[in-house]
Amino acid sequence: MIYNKEIETLPLKELRELQNKRLATMLNRIYTKVPFYKNKFDELGINPGDIKGVQDLHLLPFTKKTDLRDNYPFGLFTCDVTKLNRIHCSSGTTGKPTVVGYTKNDLDVFDEVIARSLACAGATPEMRLHNAYGYGLFTGGLGMHSGATKLGMTVIPVSGGMTDRQLQLLEDFQSEVICCTPSYAQTIANECEKRGIDTSRFNLKYAILGAEPWTDAIRKEIEQKLNVKATNIYGLSEIIGPGVSQEDFEEQGTGSYIWEDHFFPEIVDKDTGEPLPYGEEGVLVLTTLTKEAFPVLRYWTNDICSLSYDHSIKRTHVKMSPIKGRSDDMLIIRGVNLFHTQVEDVITNIKELSPNYQLIVSKHNAMDIVEVKVEVVDNALINNEDLIKKFSKK
Ligand code: DLL
């Protein structure tokens, strides 16, 4: 099902015109309301009016996660905090999270792109959504919830964890759609296998999986074990949350449509920042075209992928390949972003420990496990169980 046929099938020429119009408004907004952007433009001697359309975006500077951190919490917002309807956060490179805010209109855009994504993944208004993304500051739970409500679905807001209860509800409520991280879908599938639960007792048809990288082999395993068609949903808090792009359930393996009337994508070289042509792999850079509270110019996602229009069958919007990796050293552990600097922060603040450490990531069943190995300054610590416990907890 196509949720918004007019926009999703808009001829490319008209789509560009719409993007260019929206970009002009967005550039004016950030230039006049956010000193950070104004200074950057002024330094380059560029006026928002000099940018004639998305083809000129490459003349403008990137925005990076460190810029968000340096302007913590609300320095890059274009409106007063009293105008916000919601705030979400994601992990930052230090103890401080990345803060993102939404006006009422921003939440409408969020709902729209999630409704489109759900429909693109096979969901219809008559279906039930078992929403096992985490609710809270993470954008996954509430984002999917609200967009599914807009589509007209019945939402079961289970959130993550408590697998026992999830299995029970899947059977009792007969939800047709599940959304969660791919690793959690694997956990559910493995748990069923372990307990000899016949998954045909569930009524699942579609799984919408994202928030971490996954492979075709994982897709096959989940599809086979849970009797679903599994599609990829991609997004990041800084841009909106989930729903930046979505794979169509009938076009699996050909990439995910980016809702480019709201988010304009570029691919750039990870070392030089130079724009790369369609088909080439590089860092995905996204510019929000319609966001009010927290518009972002050329956001350097650090996610490596490529773009193509080649396989756009049902819609005119550009497709992105699955994420191939990251250009920084962020780890994604069960959907949660983790920077080694966050661990380092803890370790360097404990005087009994040296700043040398190892992070060891392994899989236990489908779950990522992180082990932190540290060096002690004084060997006496090795026998002090209380201190070891205290430091482990930190
Ligand atoms: O993970 C938003 C989200 C929620 C997406 C639910 C999909 C489903 P953040 O916590 O800000 O937001 O993390 C964003 O997660 O830059 C990618 O590195 C990674 N990521 C998200 N979706 C995918 C995916 C949410 N489908 C960061 N494949 C992004 C690979 C993904 N990586």
Side-chain angles (χ1 to χ4, degrees):
M1 172 186 151
I2 296 188
Y3 177 75
N4 187 338
K5 190 142 197 160
E6 195 192 329
I7 286 290
E8 293 176 53
T9 61
L10 199 64
L12 205 52
K13 189 166 164 287
E14 287 169 51
L15 187 57
R16 284 285 174 272
E17 283 165 10
L18 180 68
Q19 289 169 331
N20 292 342
K21 207 171 120 209
R22 289 179 167 177
L23 179 66
T25 311
M26 181 277 189
L27 293 178
N28 257 316
R29 187 176 179 97
I30 57 172
Y31 185 78
T32 52
K33 293 182 188 283
V34 187
F36 165 83
Y37 284 118
K38 182 172 187 307
N39 294 342
K40 285 215 165 183
F41 277 57
D42 291 351
E43 269 166 31
L44 291 168
I46 295 179
N47 251 307
D50 297 336
I51 305 299
K52 302 297 176 210
V54 290
Q55 73 283 354
D56 294 337
L57 265 174
H58 67 97
L59 300 171
L60 295 173
F62 297 112
T63 307
K64 297 205 167 169
K65 199 153 185 131
T66 47
D67 297 320
L68 272 57
R69 189 187 64 199
D70 295 344
N71 290 280
Y72 177 88
F74 306 130
L76 297 184
F77 285 21
T78 65
C79 65
D80 192 79
V81 183
T82 56
K83 299 279 181 294
L84 299 179
N85 265 202
R86 201 194 291 166
I87 289 175
H88 279 289
C89 295
S90 83
S91 1
T93 44
T94 66
K96 282 193 179 145
T98 301
V99 183
V100 298
Y102 307 76
T103 61
K104 169 78 180 66
N105 283 343
D106 293 334
L107 290 179
D108 287 346
V109 170
F110 200 178
D111 289 349
E112 160 79 22
V113 293
I114 294 294
R116 280 186 209 174
S117 300
L118 285 160
C120 187
T124 63
E126 296 74 35
M127 293 182 183
R128 269 147 283 187
L129 175 69
H130 182 99
N131 186 4
Y133 281 120
Y135 279 66
L137 287 173
F138 176 57
T139 51
L142 277 171
M144 296 304 291
H145 182 115
S146 186
T149 308
K150 173 157 177 138
L151 180 62
M153 300 181 78
T154 306
V155 186
I156 294 109
V158 217
S159 198
M162 301 223 266
T163 309
D164 274 354
R165 193 173 62 176
Q166 308 251 357
L167 299 182
Q168 186 75 51
L169 296 182
L170 281 169
E171 186 170 349
D172 294 349
F173 294 173
Q174 295 285 289
S175 299
E176 293 90 343
V177 187
I178 182 170
C179 59
C180 58
T181 59
S183 53
Y184 197 60
Q186 282 180 294
T187 300
I188 290 180
N190 292 341
E191 202 56 31
C192 289
E193 221 170 43
K194 207 167 95 193
R195 298 174 189 209
I197 296 175
D198 177 3
T199 52
S200 66
R201 278 164 33 195
F202 302 159
N203 190 28
L204 285 176
K205 294 185 170 57
Y206 303 105
I208 307 173
L209 311 177
E212 62 183 2
W214 52 304
T215 59
D216 249 355
I218 296 176
R219 188 206 306 266
K220 283 200 188 90
E221 183 196 333
I222 294 169
E223 289 194 329
Q224 187 246 322
K225 289 187 176 166
L226 291 179
N227 301 313
V228 290
K229 250 189 188 282
T231 55
N232 193 10
I233 186 163
Y234 166 83
L236 58 163
S237 329
E238 294 89 327
I239 298 302
I240 200 150
V244 170
S245 78
Q246 170 67 47
E247 186 180 24
D248 187 287
F249 74 108
E250 290 174 325
E251 298 173 16
Q252 283 174 308
T254 64
S256 302
Y257 289 106
I258 298 181
W259 306 124
E260 57 168 325
D261 53 321
H262 293 294
F263 318 115
F264 186 79
E266 299 168 82
I267 296 290
V268 303
D269 184 282
K270 74 174 171 40
D271 299 315
T272 65
E274 285 306 309
L276 294 174
Y278 289 132
E280 282 197 32
E281 234 168 58
V283 175
L284 176 65
V285 168
L286 291 162
T287 297
T288 66
L289 297 174
T290 50
K291 278 201 16 226
E292 288 181 344
F294 182 59
V296 194
L297 177 67
R298 303 196 81 206
Y299 188 69
W300 184 279
T301 65
N302 273 311
D303 291 322
I304 307 282
C305 68
S306 59
L307 299 179
S308 73
Y309 280 105
D310 306 348
H311 302 290
S312 303
I313 301 163
K314 290 189 196 163
R315 299 170 181 82
T316 46
H317 294 216
V318 71
K319 280 185 172 181
M320 61 183 266
S321 69
I323 303 297
K324 303 281 163 61
R326 300 257 321 162
S327 58
D328 63 359
D329 40 20
M330 185 179 88
L331 299 169
I332 307 181
I333 306 298
R334 290 177 247 153
V336 176
N337 306 343
L338 177 76
F339 289 91
H340 69 87
T341 43
Q342 289 173 282
V343 178
E344 197 166 295
D345 238 24
V346 174
I347 292 171
T348 50
N349 278 312
I350 301 176
K351 65 175 187 332
E352 290 87 347
L353 302 181
S354 90
N356 304 317
Y357 64 96
Q358 290 184 319
L359 291 185
I360 300 161
V361 184
S362 55
K363 274 208 188 290
H364 179 68
N365 294 325
M367 292 301 217
D368 287 324
I369 305 282
V370 189
E371 201 182 332
V372 184
K373 287 201 170 172
V374 286
E375 271 178 26
V376 293
V377 172
D378 176 356
N379 277 345
L381 181 69
I382 292 174
N383 297 320
N384 188 333
E385 279 198 13
D386 286 346
L387 267 187
I388 291 176
K389 255 195 202 139
K390 192 172 138 202
F391 296 158
S392 305
K393 199 162 167 214
K394 281 202 177 167

